[in-house]
């Protein structure tokens, strides 16, 4: 009997992302229909509910909402509903619940409760027949296909793209900034492969990794930290570049590996000062993004330039490959990290 190759599912799902992006963009009319309802209801505030990788996608969408829609946005603390029974007035509020599986009981309860309290509720999932879709008034299909690896890759990036297309359509956009992401994703995976392999060799024996980014890229830093922790069991922490200088930088030294997410735009520009300090403290910096060559770093993993607001869709791709490669190099199986399941059932 042939022994399954470790990491084969994660590798295949990473490689599938370019075609998924192209297909999702081509079917954006269904997302635009949901956006039209949102625009008609004219919410004054947007709330996001999510867990894990989906929470990082929600943070990305929070930036999109505040910048592109000029609406205040926040993240739901699910336990205020599930544990404490809070019932705030949610009239004129849009609640977007992001869940790849659509099966988390706490997110289901939050969505059903918010709908009872007057919110317009939208489920963004990769499982159209999920209980969450039934609980929400509207739904967006991420359409990434079944994901077999425990660590989310294609579902995460497709969720980012779906959220961008939704929010852009709410403001009346046509998704033009995302039109070439399928092709650019393939370029990113192909062009970054040799440097990612070098980064795997560089980080193979590291114990402590700090990830950082600003603006839209902060979500990528958060997701990078999670991927490295769950696949390679690294002690990984993510910080906004602004927060990094407010204390955590004191723990940075020559034994610290720093993964900096920096793409062209205001977020990447604002990260430079923090990275200068990190570099001066002797940290080993690997920079990822379209502005990576502007950063003082030991290694630069570039991605194609895009509009800043869609850069996270591409930024995460070499990071996923890095997490996959490190897991294998350290003797693990990134398809089945210890102690983890595909659906986390929290209350």
């Amino acid at each position: 009997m042939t022994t399954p190759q470790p990491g084969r599912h994660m590798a295949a799902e990473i490689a599938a992302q370019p075609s998924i992006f192209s297909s999702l963009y081509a079917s954006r009319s269904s997302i635009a229909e949901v956006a039209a309802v949102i625009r008609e209801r004219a919410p004054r505030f947007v709330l996001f509910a999510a867990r894990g990788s989906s929470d990082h996608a929600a943070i990305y969408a929070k930036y999109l909402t505040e910048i592109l829609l000029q609406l205040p946005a926040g993240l739901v603390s699910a336990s205020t509903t599930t544990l404490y029974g809070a019932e705030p007035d949610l009239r004129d509020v849009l609640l977007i619940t992001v869940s790849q599986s659509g099966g988390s009981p706490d997110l289901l309860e939050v969505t059903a409760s918010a709908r009872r309290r007057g919110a317009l509720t939208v489920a963004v999932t990769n499982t159209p027949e999920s209980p969450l879709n039934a609980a929400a008034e509207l739904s967006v299909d991420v359409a990434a296909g079944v994901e077999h690896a425990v660590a989310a890759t294609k579902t995460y990036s497709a969720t980012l793209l779906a959220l961008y297309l939704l929010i852009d359509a709410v403001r009346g956009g046509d998704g033009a900034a995302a039109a070439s992401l399928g092709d650019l994703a393939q370029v990113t995976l192909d062009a970054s492969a040799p440097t990612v392999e070098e980064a795997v060799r560089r980080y193979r024996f590291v114990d402590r990794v700090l990830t950082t980014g600003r603006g839209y890229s902060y979500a990528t830093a958060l997701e990078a930290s999670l991927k490295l922790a769950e696949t390679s069991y690294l002690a990984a922490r993510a910080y906004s570049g602004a927060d990094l200088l407010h204390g955590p930088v004191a723990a940075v030294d020559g034994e610290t590996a720093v993964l900096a997410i920096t793409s062209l735009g205001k977020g990447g520009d604002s990260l430079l000062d923090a990275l200068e300090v990190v570099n001066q403290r002797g940290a080993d910096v690997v920079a990822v993004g379209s502005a990576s060559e502007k950063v003082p770093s030991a290694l630069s993993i570039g991605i194609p330039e895009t509009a800043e607001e869609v850069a996270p869709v591409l930024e995460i791709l070499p990071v996923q490959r890095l997490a996959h490669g490190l897991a294998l190099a350290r003797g693990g199986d990134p398809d089945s990290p210890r102690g983890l399941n595909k659906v986390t059932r929290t209350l």
Side-chain angles (χ1 to χ4, degrees):
M1 182 176 179
T2 303
T3 303
Q5 181 182 359
R8 71 191 191 284
H9 290 310
M10 186 175 178
E13 287 158 5
I14 291 171
Q17 290 171 105
S19 63
I20 291 170
F21 297 167
S22 296
S23 295
L24 186 56
Y25 180 78
S27 63
R28 65 192 181 280
S29 60
S30 61
I31 297 177
E33 291 174 4
V34 174
V37 177
I38 295 172
R39 193 164 55 248
E40 182 179 351
R41 296 278 284 270
R44 292 294 305 139
F45 196 95
V46 183
L47 288 173
F48 293 92
R51 293 287 194 194
S53 288
S54 293
D55 196 44
H56 304 154
I59 288 171
Y60 165 68
K62 180 178 181 294
Y63 275 87
L64 290 173
T65 300
E66 292 177 344
I67 297 168
L68 302 186
L69 299 184
Q70 299 285 296
L71 286 177
L75 302 177
V76 168
S77 298
S79 61
T80 60
T81 296
T82 60
L83 298 183
Y84 295 96
E87 296 188 356
D89 185 347
L90 295 182
R91 288 173 293 179
D92 298 325
V93 170
L94 168 64
L95 176 82
I96 299 178
T97 305
V98 187
S99 172
Q100 293 148 17
S101 69
S104 298
D106 54 347
L107 297 181
L108 178 61
E109 184 173 343
V110 165
T111 304
S113 175
R115 188 172 181 180
R116 290 194 303 270
R117 289 179 277 126
L120 171 60
T121 53
V122 179
V124 178
T125 79
N126 192 46
T127 313
E129 69 279 7
S130 74
L132 180 61
N133 289 63
E137 184 174 342
L138 303 169
S139 62
V140 171
D141 183 5
V142 169
V146 176
E147 192 170 55
H148 296 285
V150 170
T153 53
K154 64 178 183 176
T155 54
Y156 174 73
S157 58
T159 298
L160 295 184
L161 179 53
L163 286 165
Y164 170 75
L165 292 172
L166 175 66
I167 292 167
D168 179 65
V170 170
R171 68 167 174 168
D174 61 1
S180 61
L181 286 180
D183 292 338
L184 293 178
Q186 191 62 60
V187 171
T188 299
L189 289 171
D190 292 343
S192 66
T195 322
V196 169
E197 289 180 8
E198 186 177 345
V200 169
R201 291 191 293 270
R202 194 174 196 92
Y203 279 1
R204 180 177 180 180
F205 299 108
V206 77
D207 293 320
R208 190 159 49 102
V209 178
L210 182 152
T211 67
T212 186
R214 285 206 72 183
Y216 296 110
S217 296
Y218 178 47
T220 311
L222 289 165
E223 178 64 9
S225 177
L226 175 60
K227 281 293 158 285
L228 294 172
E230 69 181 348
T231 60
S232 300
Y233 316 135
L234 288 168
R237 291 290 303 273
Y239 294 99
S240 159
D243 291 334
L244 183 60
L245 297 180
H246 285 269
V249 74
V252 174
D253 56 26
E255 300 298 315
T256 308
V258 175
L259 187 65
I261 312 300
T262 174
S263 286
L264 294 166
K266 293 179 180 179
D269 289 345
S270 67
L271 189 63
L272 291 175
D273 289 344
L275 293 180
E276 286 284 358
V277 174
V278 165
N279 192 59
Q280 290 168 10
R281 296 186 65 85
D284 191 273
V285 179
V286 172
V288 177
S290 57
S292 59
E293 292 186 356
K294 298 170 61 176
V295 171
S297 62
L299 196 61
S300 171
I301 303 175
I303 67 167
E305 182 179 355
T306 63
E308 185 179 5
E309 60 265 28
V310 297
V313 181
L314 300 182
E315 291 168 346
I316 196 59
L317 304 183
V319 175
Q320 293 169 346
R321 279 262 180 87
L322 175 61
H324 177 270
L326 278 173
L328 295 177
R330 293 162 71 92
D333 182 357
D335 283 347
S336 302
R338 64 193 182 208
L340 297 180
N341 295 303
K342 195 63 180 169
V343 180
T344 302
R345 300 191 177 278
T346 51
L347 295 173

